[in-house]
Amino acid sequence: ALTKEEAQDVLQRVLAAGDGVIAAEGRRVVYPSDELFLQAGWEIPDGSFYDDYPQYENGVGMLSMLREEFESLLDDICQPSAPRRVTGVTGAAAYPTIAALFEKVQRRCEGRLEAQLVKIENSFFGPSMTVAGLVTGQDIISGLKGIDVGDALLIPSVMLRYERDRFLDDVTVEELAQAVGAPVVIFEPDAAGMIKALVSNSD
């Protein structure tokens, strides 16, 4: 993995190359990965940076699009039908972005929703593995030790195997629910899926 300084150096070079292409072609063409911005400690750019997201399928601009979609849905969020306290988990890389989105929903549902997000360190594959898709069940259990998760534990579907019944370390969803003492809610890692998981009382 790159150090913060190395990531900043690479990012500056890629951005400079993209700026040069804009001058010649009218669009950036060269887009740094989301992970590179996160490793450098730099803010993920707004959607205009990515033109029409030509590299979205490769994970480039996903966090920016998630923020855009979130903003477009905020005004339509329905309050939970009953007061609700939930906990979500994510990897270290996306934590700042996802935490900000959790906070926005909590403010929108003030008084009826408490939502905390816990950053899970990856012990199973090593601390350099910071993406949510490589977070394991045992690391979630370890990371939540001593934490009251509330009414539900929210898990993005990318953490689970294809069948969605277990994590990469073979810990099952049921075992995780027993370990944390709360239902586990699996959600699609897009804006609509995350908001539904946060505000829906049907766990």
Side-chain angles (χ1 to χ4, degrees):
L2 297 175
T3 66
K4 183 175 182 179
E5 292 72 23
E6 289 170 340
Q8 289 175 347
D9 180 61
V10 173
L11 190 51
Q12 288 172 336
R13 293 170 187 266
V14 175
L15 291 174
D19 290 343
V21 175
I22 289 176
E25 303 291 336
R27 56 184 297 170
R28 181 167 295 277
V29 179
V30 180
Y31 308 90
S33 69
D34 290 11
E35 187 176 7
L36 189 57
F37 278 105
L38 296 169
Q39 287 178 326
W42 288 12
E43 182 73 17
I44 297 287
D46 292 332
S48 59
F49 175 87
Y50 297 98
D51 301 311
D52 56 354
Y53 293 98
Q55 292 293 319
Y56 181 82
E57 294 300 324
N58 294 323
V60 177
M62 294 183 91
L63 291 177
S64 179
M65 182 176 282
L66 177 63
R67 280 193 322 220
E68 281 192 350
E69 292 177 343
F70 225 89
E71 290 296 332
S72 72
L73 295 173
L74 269 179
D75 289 343
D76 297 325
I77 288 177
C78 295
Q79 295 272 2
S81 56
R84 180 169 168 79
R85 187 165 59 87
V86 298
T87 298
V89 293
T90 190
Y95 177 81
T97 300
I98 305 301
L101 300 181
F102 267 47
E103 177 62 26
K104 286 185 177 184
V105 178
Q106 183 170 266
R107 285 201 304 267
R108 182 73 173 77
C109 301
E110 190 170 359
R112 297 187 72 82
L113 176 67
E114 290 182 44
Q116 66 175 332
L117 182 69
V118 177
K119 177 172 60 178
I120 303 298
E121 300 293 339
N122 199 321
S123 298
F124 189 87
F125 291 109
S128 64
M129 298 294 105
T130 60
V131 296
L134 293 178
V135 169
T136 61
Q138 59 191 271
D139 282 338
I140 295 173
I141 293 170
S142 176
L144 293 176
K145 194 163 293 183
I147 295 176
D148 180 359
V149 302
D151 300 316
L153 176 63
L154 314 183
I155 301 287
S157 61
V158 294
M159 291 184 177
L160 299 170
R161 293 179 183 269
Y162 179 77
E163 297 83 2
R164 293 193 174 194
D165 62 342
R166 64 187 62 235
F167 295 84
L168 294 176
D169 60 351
D170 284 331
V171 170
T172 66
V173 172
E174 182 179 344
E175 288 169 341
L176 175 60
Q178 291 174 347
V180 301
V184 172
V185 175
I186 301 163
F187 66 91
E188 293 303 320
D190 56 24
M194 192 182 302
I195 290 171
K196 180 180 179 182
L198 283 165
V199 304
S200 174
N201 286 103
S202 56
D203 299 330

